[in-house]
Amino acid sequence: MGALTVDHAAGNGPEWDDLVRIWEHTDAPEGCTVEIIEGIVTVAPPPDGMHTDIAEELHGCLRAAIPKERGLGVYQNLGLALPSRHGLYIPDLVVAPKALVRTEPKGSIPAAATELVVEITSKSNAIHDRLNKPAGYVRSGVPLYLLIDRFAQGGPTIFLYGEPKRDVYRTLSAVKFGEPVHLPEPFDLTVETETFLPD
């Protein structure tokens, strides 16, 4: 399989604390997602129904596959802090330690603390999910990144990236919607994706 390559350091710009303060005080319409991407506060509109349903389906699969004794939870709307990339991302799904999430007063945890991050593309944010966010995730040491790209050039495709080394993810698999995708340990889970296809 190929590799997902990323480039450039965080660069110059406002100090991290100033960015977080701006993010905290951004007044966006209900349902919109406010993130810091490459030092810029961005607002994305609410996702459509298909996007939301894919997230719900995958959430259930992951929740069922994780043994309780692992102490991991599956979260939507959890912020991931990536200060070295001037980023605060809110992925569609995150698998992270419950104890850490429960003790975080500001609603975000270090990206490095996650086991899996999932992004589902929307037309308005696909470029971030394909390029900017994986650059932050790999640099932060996120072990597995699952990109559900509904608008991929060759048709809807699911990409699983892992084995981060330096600033590169290895492509562990790439499958079309409707084909199964296998998530390695700590999940050892095969996700059937027929339900990701529109009716």
Side-chain angles (χ1 to χ4, degrees):
M1 294 271 166
L4 179 63
T5 309
V6 299
D7 56 3
H8 70 287
N12 299 324
E15 291 297 319
W16 175 246
D17 290 342
D18 292 336
L19 279 172
V20 172
R21 228 179 333 277
I22 292 167
W23 172 77
E24 289 173 336
H25 293 96
T26 300
D27 188 19
E30 187 175 343
C32 291
T33 302
V34 181
E35 299 177 288
I36 305 170
I37 301 174
E38 302 292 320
I40 299 170
V41 176
T42 66
V43 179
D48 63 27
M50 196 65 208
H51 181 125
T52 304
D53 192 60
I54 290 170
E56 191 277 331
E57 291 278 338
L58 188 55
H59 186 278
C61 292
L62 290 168
R63 182 69 259 148
I66 300 172
K68 286 190 177 182
E69 60 270 15
R70 291 287 319 251
L72 297 172
V74 184
Y75 302 97
Q76 297 182 38
N77 302 315
L78 176 65
L80 299 183
L82 303 91
S84 68
R85 296 286 301 181
H86 290 154
L88 201 153
Y89 305 162
I90 302 178
D92 292 295
L93 292 171
V94 177
V95 176
K98 283 177 165 282
L100 179 61
V101 173
R102 288 180 178 193
T103 58
E104 179 47 58
K106 295 205 174 205
S108 64
I109 63 170
T114 64
E115 294 285 342
L116 170 71
V117 171
V118 179
E119 296 282 9
I120 304 166
T121 60
S122 296
K123 284 185 180 179
S124 65
N125 70 2
I127 194 72
H128 291 311
D129 293 342
R130 293 177 190 140
L131 298 175
N132 303 103
K133 287 186 172 184
Y137 294 142
V138 74
R139 185 157 293 176
S140 298
V142 172
L144 292 171
Y145 175 52
L146 186 66
L147 173 62
I148 300 174
D149 195 343
R150 299 167 56 209
F151 305 99
Q153 189 171 9
T157 306
I158 302 163
F159 299 93
L160 177 63
Y161 300 108
E163 300 175 15
K165 195 170 187 178
R166 297 185 192 95
D167 288 339
V168 178
Y169 270 131
R170 183 170 169 244
T171 304
L172 302 180
S173 66
V175 301
K176 297 293 184 189
F177 277 32
E179 298 174 9
V181 60
H182 184 77
L183 303 180
E185 291 295 337
F187 307 99
D188 193 22
L189 167 68
T190 299
V191 178
E192 302 296 338
T193 68
E194 292 92 347
T195 57
F196 294 6
L197 293 164
D199 292 333

